[in-house]
Amino acid sequence: MQAAIQKIAQEGVSASTASIPKAAKVDEGSLFRYFADKDTLLNEVYLAIKSDMKRSLTEPFPTKSSLKKRAEHLWNG
């Protein structure tokens, strides 16, 4: 997944399905063992990034802090 995120960040959604397993140092056929097609891969990449973003914003959230501190936490996250 990390290799897919990096390749898509570098090359956009047009990143080839051949370049992703190469970046991950795995066999090219391995990609389609985990993802039915490129659309499924792109969707999983989106969900992984969104999940990481949510986690970084909410896990250490200062619920008992002032509104200013909570807003700063969200902004900095």
Side-chain angles (χ1 to χ4, degrees), residues 37-77:
D37 53 32
K38 188 173 181 181
D39 288 339
T40 303
L41 169 65
L42 292 174
N43 189 55
E44 291 298 321
V45 164
Y46 170 78
L47 292 174
I49 291 170
K50 192 158 178 118
S51 177
D52 285 348
M53 190 170 94
K54 178 188 173 232
R55 193 175 318 108
S56 73
L57 291 174
T58 60
E59 277 188 0
F61 192 76
T63 55
K64 298 188 187 230
S65 296
S66 68
L67 177 59
K68 180 182 179 199
K69 290 283 185 192
R70 288 180 282 164
E72 285 175 347
H73 173 81
L74 293 173
W75 179 262
N76 293 330

Side-chain angles (χ1 to χ4, degrees), residues 1-23 28 31-32 37-39 41-42 45:
M1 183 60 66
Q2 195 59 36
I5 291 169
Q6 289 174 349
K7 290 307 272 184
I8 292 167
Q10 293 169 349
E11 300 173 21
V13 294
S14 63
S16 74
T17 55
S19 69
I20 294 168
K22 185 176 180 182
E28 190 173 336
L31 182 68
F32 295 109
D37 53 32
K38 188 173 181 181
D39 288 339
L41 169 65
L42 292 174
V45 164

